Amino acid sequence: MTHEERFTTSHWKTLLQQVVLVVLEVQHMASICQVALDAPGVAERVLANDGYVAGHSNPAAFKKLRDLMLLHHAVTRQMVDELGGTAAVTIAEQVRQHLAAHSHHDPDAP
């Protein structure tokens, strides 16, 4: 990939689609570890490598959960830094709608 290709909207859409797959895997690992990521402070504890937040001990799944969360954060931050917040939000919305259409899921469902 050339330097110019790296900064195209198409590149970022593809990357964000991969990030969405990462999010699905995060949800899967959280389920395995019985980690309620939507509870206040829990995501921060996972990122701080606090395994006590897990309701079920599975060190390999917890490590994967944390690593995937760090990857998601890094890619999202890079996208916002390089494209700006407005473009990043627009791309994220397009990807979300695309994935929802292909998963037979309502894109506006919580």
Side-chain angles (χ1 to χ4, degrees):
M1 171 179 297
T2 68
H3 179 73
E4 290 78 24
E5 290 172 329
R6 182 172 167 236
F7 294 101
T8 65
T9 302
S10 175
H11 165 75
W12 285 108
K13 284 182 182 179
T14 301
L15 188 60
L16 193 57
Q17 287 173 342
Q18 293 169 351
V19 168
V20 171
L21 296 176
V22 168
V23 169
L24 294 174
E25 187 66 10
V26 164
Q27 292 171 337
H28 180 69
M29 292 299 111
S31 177
I32 289 171
C33 296
Q34 297 176 359
V35 173
L37 289 175
D38 57 344
V42 172
E44 292 82 355
R45 288 178 64 188
V46 171
L47 291 171
N49 208 20
D50 180 359
Y52 291 110
V53 74
H56 175 74
S57 179
N58 185 327
F62 187 82
K63 180 182 181 335
K64 186 172 183 179
L65 170 64
R66 181 176 181 269
D67 290 348
L68 289 168
M69 289 175 65
L70 288 168
L71 173 65
H72 179 274
H73 176 73
V75 170
T76 303
R77 172 174 234 113
Q78 181 184 11
M79 187 171 74
V80 170
D81 288 348
E82 292 186 15
L83 296 177
T86 303
V89 169
T90 300
I91 292 169
E93 179 61 23
Q94 290 171 350
V95 170
R96 186 179 71 84
Q97 288 178 359
H98 173 79
L99 291 171
H102 288 82
S103 69
H104 306 291
H105 231 47
D106 179 4
D108 297 319

